[in-house]
Amino acid sequence: MAARRQGGSNTESVDNYLKAILSLGGSDERRVASKALADRLRVAPASVTNMLQKLAGAAAPLVVYERHRGVQLSATGRKRALEIVRHHRLIETFLYEVLDYPIDEVHDEAERLEHFISERFEERIAAKLGHPTIDPHGQSIPAFEG
């Protein structure tokens, strides 16, 4: 995998958009309406449009966006979204199993940390946990390769 980007509010925002598109698009990767994305992220529709245009216009586009037709993740965007989901679920599992966090606290803590861990740290968490495939909520943890 490519080197991870440094964390920051812009990166967090991009990651949150990618995760939301992945979740809303489902396993069949259907197009996601801007309104559904705005509702999920609790942001103004105009903010969604601006971000989607930015993500689609990047040198390595993270989404495929057509006004009034919705958005889908590009291959690069899908890879990044799955990477963030993997981080989140591994962190939740680590917090729950190793640090004895209550189940109702692991999600919010993982949300804060998921954007900032390195590949080395991710691998060490996975190894420490025995390379789990399911998080404490019963959700699948994506493989390292996506």
PDB file of all heavy atoms in Angstrom, residues 95-132:
ATOM      1  N   LEU A  95      -8.958  -1.670  21.649  1.00  0.00           N
ATOM      2  CA  LEU A  95      -9.452  -0.970  22.837  1.00  0.00           C
ATOM      3  C   LEU A  95     -10.287  -1.898  23.718  1.00  0.00           C
ATOM      4  O   LEU A  95     -10.152  -1.897  24.942  1.00  0.00           O
ATOM      5  CB  LEU A  95     -10.290   0.249  22.425  1.00  0.00           C
ATOM      6  CG  LEU A  95      -9.539   1.383  21.732  1.00  0.00           C
ATOM      7  CD1 LEU A  95     -10.534   2.412  21.186  1.00  0.00           C
ATOM      8  CD2 LEU A  95      -8.552   2.044  22.677  1.00  0.00           C
ATOM      9  N   TYR A  96     -11.123  -2.690  23.089  1.00  0.00           N
ATOM     10  CA  TYR A  96     -12.027  -3.572  23.820  1.00  0.00           C
ATOM     11  C   TYR A  96     -11.291  -4.758  24.446  1.00  0.00           C
ATOM     12  O   TYR A  96     -11.454  -5.050  25.634  1.00  0.00           O
ATOM     13  CB  TYR A  96     -13.124  -4.063  22.866  1.00  0.00           C
ATOM     14  CG  TYR A  96     -14.157  -4.927  23.508  1.00  0.00           C
ATOM     15  CD1 TYR A  96     -15.105  -4.385  24.382  1.00  0.00           C
ATOM     16  CD2 TYR A  96     -14.212  -6.285  23.246  1.00  0.00           C
ATOM     17  CE1 TYR A  96     -16.070  -5.189  24.975  1.00  0.00           C
ATOM     18  CE2 TYR A  96     -15.175  -7.100  23.833  1.00  0.00           C
ATOM     19  CZ  TYR A  96     -16.102  -6.535  24.707  1.00  0.00           C
ATOM     20  OH  TYR A  96     -17.053  -7.334  25.289  1.00  0.00           O
ATOM     21  N   GLU A  97     -10.466  -5.437  23.640  1.00  0.00           N
ATOM     22  CA  GLU A  97      -9.837  -6.674  24.103  1.00  0.00           C
ATOM     23  C   GLU A  97      -8.580  -6.459  24.938  1.00  0.00           C
ATOM     24  O   GLU A  97      -8.318  -7.218  25.856  1.00  0.00           O
ATOM     25  CB  GLU A  97      -9.511  -7.570  22.908  1.00  0.00           C
ATOM     26  CG  GLU A  97     -10.744  -8.126  22.240  1.00  0.00           C
ATOM     27  CD  GLU A  97     -10.416  -9.115  21.137  1.00  0.00           C
ATOM     28  OE1 GLU A  97      -9.244  -9.546  20.999  1.00  0.00           O
ATOM     29  OE2 GLU A  97     -11.359  -9.483  20.413  1.00  0.00           O
ATOM     30  N   VAL A  98      -7.791  -5.442  24.613  1.00  0.00           N
ATOM     31  CA  VAL A  98      -6.515  -5.252  25.291  1.00  0.00           C
ATOM     32  C   VAL A  98      -6.606  -4.192  26.385  1.00  0.00           C
ATOM     33  O   VAL A  98      -6.076  -4.374  27.479  1.00  0.00           O
ATOM     34  CB  VAL A  98      -5.391  -4.894  24.283  1.00  0.00           C
ATOM     35  CG1 VAL A  98      -4.071  -4.615  24.985  1.00  0.00           C
ATOM     36  CG2 VAL A  98      -5.239  -6.012  23.250  1.00  0.00           C
ATOM     37  N   LEU A  99      -7.293  -3.096  26.095  1.00  0.00           N
ATOM     38  CA  LEU A  99      -7.352  -1.995  27.061  1.00  0.00           C
ATOM     39  C   LEU A  99      -8.629  -1.993  27.894  1.00  0.00           C
ATOM     40  O   LEU A  99      -8.844  -1.085  28.695  1.00  0.00           O
ATOM     41  CB  LEU A  99      -7.195  -0.652  26.332  1.00  0.00           C
ATOM     42  CG  LEU A  99      -5.877  -0.475  25.570  1.00  0.00           C
ATOM     43  CD1 LEU A  99      -5.819   0.902  24.921  1.00  0.00           C
ATOM     44  CD2 LEU A  99      -4.677  -0.693  26.479  1.00  0.00           C
ATOM     45  N   ASP A 100      -9.480  -2.992  27.708  1.00  0.00           N
ATOM     46  CA  ASP A 100     -10.708  -3.165  28.501  1.00  0.00           C
ATOM     47  C   ASP A 100     -11.656  -1.966  28.461  1.00  0.00           C
ATOM     48  O   ASP A 100     -12.325  -1.663  29.449  1.00  0.00           O
ATOM     49  CB  ASP A 100     -10.357  -3.498  29.959  1.00  0.00           C
ATOM     50  CG  ASP A 100      -9.602  -4.801  30.079  1.00  0.00           C
ATOM     51  OD1 ASP A 100      -9.929  -5.741  29.320  1.00  0.00           O
ATOM     52  OD2 ASP A 100      -8.671  -4.885  30.902  1.00  0.00           O
ATOM     53  N   TYR A 101     -11.710  -1.292  27.321  1.00  0.00           N
ATOM     54  CA  TYR A 101     -12.706  -0.224  27.149  1.00  0.00           C
ATOM     55  C   TYR A 101     -14.090  -0.849  27.132  1.00  0.00           C
ATOM     56  O   TYR A 101     -14.276  -1.936  26.565  1.00  0.00           O
ATOM     57  CB  TYR A 101     -12.510   0.480  25.807  1.00  0.00           C
ATOM     58  CG  TYR A 101     -11.633   1.704  25.837  1.00  0.00           C
ATOM     59  CD1 TYR A 101     -10.284   1.614  26.106  1.00  0.00           C
ATOM     60  CD2 TYR A 101     -12.160   2.965  25.557  1.00  0.00           C
ATOM     61  CE1 TYR A 101      -9.472   2.732  26.105  1.00  0.00           C
ATOM     62  CE2 TYR A 101     -11.362   4.091  25.548  1.00  0.00           C
ATOM     63  CZ  TYR A 101     -10.023   3.966  25.818  1.00  0.00           C
ATOM     64  OH  TYR A 101      -9.226   5.069  25.809  1.00  0.00           O
ATOM     65  N   PRO A 102     -15.075  -0.171  27.699  1.00  0.00           N
ATOM     66  CA  PRO A 102     -16.451  -0.652  27.559  1.00  0.00           C
ATOM     67  C   PRO A 102     -16.870  -0.582  26.085  1.00  0.00           C
ATOM     68  O   PRO A 102     -16.450   0.325  25.359  1.00  0.00           O
ATOM     69  CB  PRO A 102     -17.273   0.342  28.391  1.00  0.00           C
ATOM     70  CG  PRO A 102     -16.285   1.068  29.244  1.00  0.00           C
ATOM     71  CD  PRO A 102     -14.974   1.025  28.529  1.00  0.00           C
ATOM     72  N   ILE A 103     -17.682  -1.516  25.658  1.00  0.00           N
ATOM     73  CA  ILE A 103     -18.111  -1.596  24.259  1.00  0.00           C
ATOM     74  C   ILE A 103     -18.744  -0.296  23.776  1.00  0.00           C
ATOM     75  O   ILE A 103     -18.583   0.087  22.622  1.00  0.00           O
ATOM     76  CB  ILE A 103     -19.043  -2.805  24.026  1.00  0.00           C
ATOM     77  CG1 ILE A 103     -19.264  -3.065  22.535  1.00  0.00           C
ATOM     78  CG2 ILE A 103     -20.383  -2.612  24.724  1.00  0.00           C
ATOM     79  CD1 ILE A 103     -18.106  -3.700  21.847  1.00  0.00           C
ATOM     80  N   ASP A 104     -19.453   0.405  24.664  1.00  0.00           N
ATOM     81  CA  ASP A 104     -20.137   1.636  24.245  1.00  0.00           C
ATOM     82  C   ASP A 104     -19.185   2.828  24.093  1.00  0.00           C
ATOM     83  O   ASP A 104     -19.605   3.890  23.657  1.00  0.00           O
ATOM     84  CB  ASP A 104     -21.282   1.980  25.196  1.00  0.00           C
ATOM     85  CG  ASP A 104     -20.830   2.217  26.622  1.00  0.00           C
ATOM     86  OD1 ASP A 104     -19.786   1.687  27.020  1.00  0.00           O
ATOM     87  OD2 ASP A 104     -21.540   2.940  27.344  1.00  0.00           O
ATOM     88  N   GLU A 105     -17.902   2.659  24.401  1.00  0.00           N
ATOM     89  CA  GLU A 105     -16.933   3.743  24.256  1.00  0.00           C
ATOM     90  C   GLU A 105     -15.947   3.534  23.104  1.00  0.00           C
ATOM     91  O   GLU A 105     -15.266   4.470  22.699  1.00  0.00           O
ATOM     92  CB  GLU A 105     -16.130   3.920  25.552  1.00  0.00           C
ATOM     93  CG  GLU A 105     -16.946   4.439  26.709  1.00  0.00           C
ATOM     94  CD  GLU A 105     -16.119   4.596  27.973  1.00  0.00           C
ATOM     95  OE1 GLU A 105     -14.873   4.655  27.890  1.00  0.00           O
ATOM     96  OE2 GLU A 105     -16.734   4.648  29.054  1.00  0.00           O
ATOM     97  N   VAL A 106     -15.866   2.330  22.562  1.00  0.00           N
ATOM     98  CA  VAL A 106     -14.832   2.049  21.571  1.00  0.00           C
ATOM     99  C   VAL A 106     -15.037   2.784  20.249  1.00  0.00           C
ATOM    100  O   VAL A 106     -14.075   3.206  19.612  1.00  0.00           O
ATOM    101  CB  VAL A 106     -14.632   0.539  21.327  1.00  0.00           C
ATOM    102  CG1 VAL A 106     -14.157  -0.161  22.589  1.00  0.00           C
ATOM    103  CG2 VAL A 106     -15.868  -0.121  20.771  1.00  0.00           C
ATOM    104  N   HIS A 107     -16.284   2.975  19.837  1.00  0.00           N
ATOM    105  CA  HIS A 107     -16.538   3.609  18.539  1.00  0.00           C
ATOM    106  C   HIS A 107     -16.013   5.040  18.497  1.00  0.00           C
ATOM    107  O   HIS A 107     -15.270   5.400  17.573  1.00  0.00           O
ATOM    108  CB  HIS A 107     -18.034   3.580  18.200  1.00  0.00           C
ATOM    109  CG  HIS A 107     -18.344   4.294  16.926  1.00  0.00           C
ATOM    110  ND1 HIS A 107     -18.096   3.738  15.697  1.00  0.00           N
ATOM    111  CD2 HIS A 107     -18.835   5.539  16.697  1.00  0.00           C
ATOM    112  CE1 HIS A 107     -18.431   4.609  14.762  1.00  0.00           C
ATOM    113  NE2 HIS A 107     -18.881   5.699  15.335  1.00  0.00           N
ATOM    114  N   ASP A 108     -16.394   5.846  19.471  1.00  0.00           N
ATOM    115  CA  ASP A 108     -15.983   7.252  19.466  1.00  0.00           C
ATOM    116  C   ASP A 108     -14.467   7.396  19.560  1.00  0.00           C
ATOM    117  O   ASP A 108     -13.873   8.258  18.896  1.00  0.00           O
ATOM    118  CB  ASP A 108     -16.658   8.027  20.596  1.00  0.00           C
ATOM    119  CG  ASP A 108     -18.146   8.218  20.346  1.00  0.00           C
ATOM    120  OD1 ASP A 108     -18.601   8.065  19.191  1.00  0.00           O
ATOM    121  OD2 ASP A 108     -18.869   8.520  21.329  1.00  0.00           O
ATOM    122  N   GLU A 109     -13.837   6.555  20.355  1.00  0.00           N
ATOM    123  CA  GLU A 109     -12.375   6.615  20.479  1.00  0.00           C
ATOM    124  C   GLU A 109     -11.714   6.214  19.160  1.00  0.00           C
ATOM    125  O   GLU A 109     -10.763   6.861  18.707  1.00  0.00           O
ATOM    126  CB  GLU A 109     -11.913   5.700  21.617  1.00  0.00           C
ATOM    127  CG  GLU A 109     -10.532   5.986  22.107  1.00  0.00           C
ATOM    128  CD  GLU A 109     -10.406   7.300  22.859  1.00  0.00           C
ATOM    129  OE1 GLU A 109     -11.344   7.711  23.566  1.00  0.00           O
ATOM    130  OE2 GLU A 109      -9.346   7.925  22.724  1.00  0.00           O
ATOM    131  N   ALA A 110     -12.226   5.179  18.518  1.00  0.00           N
ATOM    132  CA  ALA A 110     -11.675   4.736  17.234  1.00  0.00           C
ATOM    133  C   ALA A 110     -11.880   5.793  16.150  1.00  0.00           C
ATOM    134  O   ALA A 110     -11.012   5.984  15.296  1.00  0.00           O
ATOM    135  CB  ALA A 110     -12.314   3.410  16.819  1.00  0.00           C
ATOM    136  N   GLU A 111     -13.010   6.492  16.198  1.00  0.00           N
ATOM    137  CA  GLU A 111     -13.259   7.579  15.234  1.00  0.00           C
ATOM    138  C   GLU A 111     -12.160   8.629  15.289  1.00  0.00           C
ATOM    139  O   GLU A 111     -11.739   9.163  14.268  1.00  0.00           O
ATOM    140  CB  GLU A 111     -14.607   8.262  15.508  1.00  0.00           C
ATOM    141  CG  GLU A 111     -15.807   7.563  14.960  1.00  0.00           C
ATOM    142  CD  GLU A 111     -15.895   7.579  13.451  1.00  0.00           C
ATOM    143  OE1 GLU A 111     -15.696   8.647  12.825  1.00  0.00           O
ATOM    144  OE2 GLU A 111     -16.154   6.511  12.878  1.00  0.00           O
ATOM    145  N   ARG A 112     -11.699   8.929  16.499  1.00  0.00           N
ATOM    146  CA  ARG A 112     -10.653   9.946  16.656  1.00  0.00           C
ATOM    147  C   ARG A 112      -9.295   9.442  16.177  1.00  0.00           C
ATOM    148  O   ARG A 112      -8.495  10.212  15.652  1.00  0.00           O
ATOM    149  CB  ARG A 112     -10.562  10.393  18.118  1.00  0.00           C
ATOM    150  CG  ARG A 112     -11.729  11.256  18.552  1.00  0.00           C
ATOM    151  CD  ARG A 112     -11.534  11.816  19.952  1.00  0.00           C
ATOM    152  NE  ARG A 112     -11.791  10.841  21.004  1.00  0.00           N
ATOM    153  CZ  ARG A 112     -13.002  10.539  21.472  1.00  0.00           C
ATOM    154  NH1 ARG A 112     -14.064  11.135  20.989  1.00  0.00           N
ATOM    155  NH2 ARG A 112     -13.151   9.654  22.428  1.00  0.00           N
ATOM    156  N   LEU A 113      -9.009   8.169  16.355  1.00  0.00           N
ATOM    157  CA  LEU A 113      -7.679   7.624  16.086  1.00  0.00           C
ATOM    158  C   LEU A 113      -7.480   7.070  14.674  1.00  0.00           C
ATOM    159  O   LEU A 113      -6.350   7.020  14.190  1.00  0.00           O
ATOM    160  CB  LEU A 113      -7.375   6.509  17.092  1.00  0.00           C
ATOM    161  CG  LEU A 113      -7.287   6.929  18.550  1.00  0.00           C
ATOM    162  CD1 LEU A 113      -7.242   5.704  19.452  1.00  0.00           C
ATOM    163  CD2 LEU A 113      -6.066   7.805  18.771  1.00  0.00           C
ATOM    164  N   GLU A 114      -8.527   6.677  14.010  1.00  0.00           N
ATOM    165  CA  GLU A 114      -8.432   5.926  12.755  1.00  0.00           C
ATOM    166  C   GLU A 114      -7.645   6.623  11.649  1.00  0.00           C
ATOM    167  O   GLU A 114      -7.079   5.969  10.778  1.00  0.00           O
ATOM    168  CB  GLU A 114      -9.820   5.558  12.234  1.00  0.00           C
ATOM    169  CG  GLU A 114     -10.626   6.748  11.786  1.00  0.00           C
ATOM    170  CD  GLU A 114     -12.083   6.443  11.536  1.00  0.00           C
ATOM    171  OE1 GLU A 114     -12.573   5.392  11.980  1.00  0.00           O
ATOM    172  OE2 GLU A 114     -12.747   7.272  10.899  1.00  0.00           O
ATOM    173  N   HIS A 115      -7.609   7.919  11.657  1.00  0.00           N
ATOM    174  CA  HIS A 115      -6.967   8.687  10.577  1.00  0.00           C
ATOM    175  C   HIS A 115      -5.457   8.796  10.733  1.00  0.00           C
ATOM    176  O   HIS A 115      -4.783   9.242   9.818  1.00  0.00           O
ATOM    177  CB  HIS A 115      -7.547  10.102  10.533  1.00  0.00           C
ATOM    178  CG  HIS A 115      -9.030  10.128  10.526  1.00  0.00           C
ATOM    179  ND1 HIS A 115      -9.776   9.895   9.386  1.00  0.00           N
ATOM    180  CD2 HIS A 115      -9.931  10.334  11.516  1.00  0.00           C
ATOM    181  CE1 HIS A 115     -11.057   9.965   9.679  1.00  0.00           C
ATOM    182  NE2 HIS A 115     -11.175  10.228  10.962  1.00  0.00           N
ATOM    183  N   PHE A 116      -4.939   8.445  11.888  1.00  0.00           N
ATOM    184  CA  PHE A 116      -3.569   8.816  12.217  1.00  0.00           C
ATOM    185  C   PHE A 116      -2.587   7.677  12.429  1.00  0.00           C
ATOM    186  O   PHE A 116      -1.440   7.928  12.745  1.00  0.00           O
ATOM    187  CB  PHE A 116      -3.580   9.702  13.474  1.00  0.00           C
ATOM    188  CG  PHE A 116      -4.442  10.912  13.307  1.00  0.00           C
ATOM    189  CD1 PHE A 116      -5.677  10.982  13.928  1.00  0.00           C
ATOM    190  CD2 PHE A 116      -4.032  11.962  12.507  1.00  0.00           C
ATOM    191  CE1 PHE A 116      -6.486  12.094  13.760  1.00  0.00           C
ATOM    192  CE2 PHE A 116      -4.831  13.083  12.336  1.00  0.00           C
ATOM    193  CZ  PHE A 116      -6.063  13.152  12.957  1.00  0.00           C
ATOM    194  N   ILE A 117      -3.025   6.435  12.287  1.00  0.00           N
ATOM    195  CA  ILE A 117      -2.083   5.349  12.569  1.00  0.00           C
ATOM    196  C   ILE A 117      -1.281   4.986  11.316  1.00  0.00           C
ATOM    197  O   ILE A 117      -1.765   5.089  10.194  1.00  0.00           O
ATOM    198  CB  ILE A 117      -2.776   4.118  13.186  1.00  0.00           C
ATOM    199  CG1 ILE A 117      -3.702   3.426  12.203  1.00  0.00           C
ATOM    200  CG2 ILE A 117      -3.506   4.487  14.464  1.00  0.00           C
ATOM    201  CD1 ILE A 117      -4.213   2.078  12.693  1.00  0.00           C
ATOM    202  N   SER A 118      -0.052   4.551  11.528  1.00  0.00           N
ATOM    203  CA  SER A 118       0.832   4.143  10.436  1.00  0.00           C
ATOM    204  C   SER A 118       0.563   2.683  10.065  1.00  0.00           C
ATOM    205  O   SER A 118      -0.081   1.939  10.822  1.00  0.00           O
ATOM    206  CB  SER A 118       2.282   4.307  10.863  1.00  0.00           C
ATOM    207  OG  SER A 118       2.592   3.360  11.877  1.00  0.00           O
ATOM    208  N   GLU A 119       1.099   2.273   8.920  1.00  0.00           N
ATOM    209  CA  GLU A 119       0.971   0.875   8.520  1.00  0.00           C
ATOM    210  C   GLU A 119       1.649  -0.040   9.543  1.00  0.00           C
ATOM    211  O   GLU A 119       1.151  -1.117   9.839  1.00  0.00           O
ATOM    212  CB  GLU A 119       1.584   0.652   7.140  1.00  0.00           C
ATOM    213  CG  GLU A 119       0.732   1.203   6.036  1.00  0.00           C
ATOM    214  CD  GLU A 119       1.302   0.907   4.661  1.00  0.00           C
ATOM    215  OE1 GLU A 119       2.294   0.157   4.556  1.00  0.00           O
ATOM    216  OE2 GLU A 119       0.752   1.434   3.695  1.00  0.00           O
ATOM    217  N   ARG A 120       2.773   0.404  10.060  1.00  0.00           N
ATOM    218  CA  ARG A 120       3.498  -0.404  11.056  1.00  0.00           C
ATOM    219  C   ARG A 120       2.644  -0.597  12.312  1.00  0.00           C
ATOM    220  O   ARG A 120       2.544  -1.705  12.851  1.00  0.00           O
ATOM    221  CB  ARG A 120       4.820   0.279  11.404  1.00  0.00           C
ATOM    222  CG  ARG A 120       5.645  -0.537  12.364  1.00  0.00           C
ATOM    223  CD  ARG A 120       7.057   0.025  12.492  1.00  0.00           C
ATOM    224  NE  ARG A 120       7.853  -0.850  13.325  1.00  0.00           N
ATOM    225  CZ  ARG A 120       8.546  -0.445  14.365  1.00  0.00           C
ATOM    226  NH1 ARG A 120       8.600   0.826  14.675  1.00  0.00           N
ATOM    227  NH2 ARG A 120       9.223  -1.305  15.085  1.00  0.00           N
ATOM    228  N   PHE A 121       2.033   0.486  12.788  1.00  0.00           N
ATOM    229  CA  PHE A 121       1.191   0.396  13.976  1.00  0.00           C
ATOM    230  C   PHE A 121      -0.026  -0.482  13.703  1.00  0.00           C
ATOM    231  O   PHE A 121      -0.402  -1.309  14.535  1.00  0.00           O
ATOM    232  CB  PHE A 121       0.774   1.802  14.422  1.00  0.00           C
ATOM    233  CG  PHE A 121       0.103   1.847  15.759  1.00  0.00           C
ATOM    234  CD1 PHE A 121       0.821   1.614  16.928  1.00  0.00           C
ATOM    235  CD2 PHE A 121      -1.252   2.126  15.858  1.00  0.00           C
ATOM    236  CE1 PHE A 121       0.198   1.649  18.164  1.00  0.00           C
ATOM    237  CE2 PHE A 121      -1.875   2.171  17.092  1.00  0.00           C
ATOM    238  CZ  PHE A 121      -1.155   1.929  18.247  1.00  0.00           C
ATOM    239  N   GLU A 122      -0.628  -0.325  12.527  1.00  0.00           N
ATOM    240  CA  GLU A 122      -1.770  -1.151  12.139  1.00  0.00           C
ATOM    241  C   GLU A 122      -1.391  -2.630  12.172  1.00  0.00           C
ATOM    242  O   GLU A 122      -2.126  -3.457  12.732  1.00  0.00           O
ATOM    243  CB  GLU A 122      -2.225  -0.763  10.727  1.00  0.00           C
ATOM    244  CG  GLU A 122      -3.260  -1.683  10.125  1.00  0.00           C
ATOM    245  CD  GLU A 122      -3.520  -1.384   8.667  1.00  0.00           C
ATOM    246  OE1 GLU A 122      -3.280  -0.261   8.205  1.00  0.00           O
ATOM    247  OE2 GLU A 122      -3.979  -2.311   7.984  1.00  0.00           O
ATOM    248  N   GLU A 123      -0.256  -2.968  11.602  1.00  0.00           N
ATOM    249  CA  GLU A 123       0.193  -4.355  11.570  1.00  0.00           C
ATOM    250  C   GLU A 123       0.483  -4.878  12.970  1.00  0.00           C
ATOM    251  O   GLU A 123       0.171  -6.023  13.303  1.00  0.00           O
ATOM    252  CB  GLU A 123       1.418  -4.512  10.669  1.00  0.00           C
ATOM    253  CG  GLU A 123       1.930  -5.939  10.580  1.00  0.00           C
ATOM    254  CD  GLU A 123       0.886  -6.985  10.187  1.00  0.00           C
ATOM    255  OE1 GLU A 123      -0.001  -6.695   9.358  1.00  0.00           O
ATOM    256  OE2 GLU A 123       0.937  -8.108  10.734  1.00  0.00           O
ATOM    257  N   ARG A 124       1.055  -4.048  13.823  1.00  0.00           N
ATOM    258  CA  ARG A 124       1.358  -4.479  15.204  1.00  0.00           C
ATOM    259  C   ARG A 124       0.076  -4.734  15.985  1.00  0.00           C
ATOM    260  O   ARG A 124       0.008  -5.684  16.767  1.00  0.00           O
ATOM    261  CB  ARG A 124       2.225  -3.445  15.909  1.00  0.00           C
ATOM    262  CG  ARG A 124       3.522  -3.203  15.155  1.00  0.00           C
ATOM    263  CD  ARG A 124       4.800  -3.444  15.759  1.00  0.00           C
ATOM    264  NE  ARG A 124       4.938  -3.937  17.074  1.00  0.00           N
ATOM    265  CZ  ARG A 124       6.017  -3.737  17.783  1.00  0.00           C
ATOM    266  NH1 ARG A 124       6.996  -3.017  17.305  1.00  0.00           N
ATOM    267  NH2 ARG A 124       6.131  -4.255  18.980  1.00  0.00           N
ATOM    268  N   ILE A 125      -0.925  -3.881  15.798  1.00  0.00           N
ATOM    269  CA  ILE A 125      -2.221  -4.110  16.456  1.00  0.00           C
ATOM    270  C   ILE A 125      -2.807  -5.433  15.969  1.00  0.00           C
ATOM    271  O   ILE A 125      -3.245  -6.260  16.766  1.00  0.00           O
ATOM    272  CB  ILE A 125      -3.208  -2.953  16.198  1.00  0.00           C
ATOM    273  CG1 ILE A 125      -2.795  -1.699  16.961  1.00  0.00           C
ATOM    274  CG2 ILE A 125      -4.628  -3.353  16.589  1.00  0.00           C
ATOM    275  CD1 ILE A 125      -3.646  -0.482  16.627  1.00  0.00           C
ATOM    276  N   ALA A 126      -2.823  -5.623  14.647  1.00  0.00           N
ATOM    277  CA  ALA A 126      -3.402  -6.837  14.079  1.00  0.00           C
ATOM    278  C   ALA A 126      -2.673  -8.078  14.610  1.00  0.00           C
ATOM    279  O   ALA A 126      -3.317  -9.059  14.996  1.00  0.00           O
ATOM    280  CB  ALA A 126      -3.344  -6.788  12.550  1.00  0.00           C
ATOM    281  N   ALA A 127      -1.342  -8.020  14.647  1.00  0.00           N
ATOM    282  CA  ALA A 127      -0.563  -9.163  15.144  1.00  0.00           C
ATOM    283  C   ALA A 127      -0.855  -9.418  16.617  1.00  0.00           C
ATOM    284  O   ALA A 127      -1.038 -10.573  17.038  1.00  0.00           O
ATOM    285  CB  ALA A 127       0.930  -8.913  14.916  1.00  0.00           C
ATOM    286  N   LYS A 128      -0.882  -8.369  17.417  1.00  0.00           N
ATOM    287  CA  LYS A 128      -1.153  -8.497  18.857  1.00  0.00           C
ATOM    288  C   LYS A 128      -2.501  -9.171  19.101  1.00  0.00           C
ATOM    289  O   LYS A 128      -2.666  -9.960  20.035  1.00  0.00           O
ATOM    290  CB  LYS A 128      -1.119  -7.110  19.514  1.00  0.00           C
ATOM    291  CG  LYS A 128      -1.431  -7.100  20.987  1.00  0.00           C
ATOM    292  CD  LYS A 128      -0.279  -7.637  21.777  1.00  0.00           C
ATOM    293  CE  LYS A 128      -0.485  -7.415  23.262  1.00  0.00           C
ATOM    294  NZ  LYS A 128       0.577  -8.040  24.034  1.00  0.00           N
ATOM    295  N   LEU A 129      -3.470  -8.869  18.229  1.00  0.00           N
ATOM    296  CA  LEU A 129      -4.822  -9.406  18.365  1.00  0.00           C
ATOM    297  C   LEU A 129      -4.993 -10.763  17.675  1.00  0.00           C
ATOM    298  O   LEU A 129      -6.079 -11.341  17.712  1.00  0.00           O
ATOM    299  CB  LEU A 129      -5.839  -8.414  17.789  1.00  0.00           C
ATOM    300  CG  LEU A 129      -5.935  -7.064  18.495  1.00  0.00           C
ATOM    301  CD1 LEU A 129      -6.768  -6.088  17.672  1.00  0.00           C
ATOM    302  CD2 LEU A 129      -6.525  -7.234  19.895  1.00  0.00           C
ATOM    303  N   GLY A 130      -3.932 -11.259  17.015  1.00  0.00           N
ATOM    304  CA  GLY A 130      -4.048 -12.533  16.303  1.00  0.00           C
ATOM    305  C   GLY A 130      -4.732 -12.403  14.959  1.00  0.00           C
ATOM    306  O   GLY A 130      -5.389 -13.325  14.489  1.00  0.00           O
ATOM    307  N   HIS A 131      -4.601 -11.242  14.334  1.00  0.00           N
ATOM    308  CA  HIS A 131      -5.181 -10.955  13.013  1.00  0.00           C
ATOM    309  C   HIS A 131      -6.686 -11.259  12.974  1.00  0.00           C
ATOM    310  O   HIS A 131      -7.138 -12.144  12.243  1.00  0.00           O
ATOM    311  CB  HIS A 131      -4.423 -11.693  11.902  1.00  0.00           C
ATOM    312  CG  HIS A 131      -2.981 -11.301  11.845  1.00  0.00           C
ATOM    313  ND1 HIS A 131      -2.553 -10.128  11.260  1.00  0.00           N
ATOM    314  CD2 HIS A 131      -1.863 -11.890  12.340  1.00  0.00           C
ATOM    315  CE1 HIS A 131      -1.243 -10.024  11.373  1.00  0.00           C
ATOM    316  NE2 HIS A 131      -0.804 -11.072  12.047  1.00  0.00           N
ATOM    317  N   PRO A 132      -7.445 -10.523  13.773  1.00  0.00           N
ATOM    318  CA  PRO A 132      -8.895 -10.781  13.836  1.00  0.00           C
ATOM    319  C   PRO A 132      -9.592 -10.440  12.519  1.00  0.00           C
ATOM    320  O   PRO A 132      -9.101  -9.616  11.735  1.00  0.00           O
ATOM    321  CB  PRO A 132      -9.357  -9.830  14.939  1.00  0.00           C
ATOM    322  CG  PRO A 132      -8.394  -8.689  14.876  1.00  0.00           C
ATOM    323  CD  PRO A 132      -7.070  -9.331  14.533  1.00  0.00           C
TER     324      PRO A 132
END
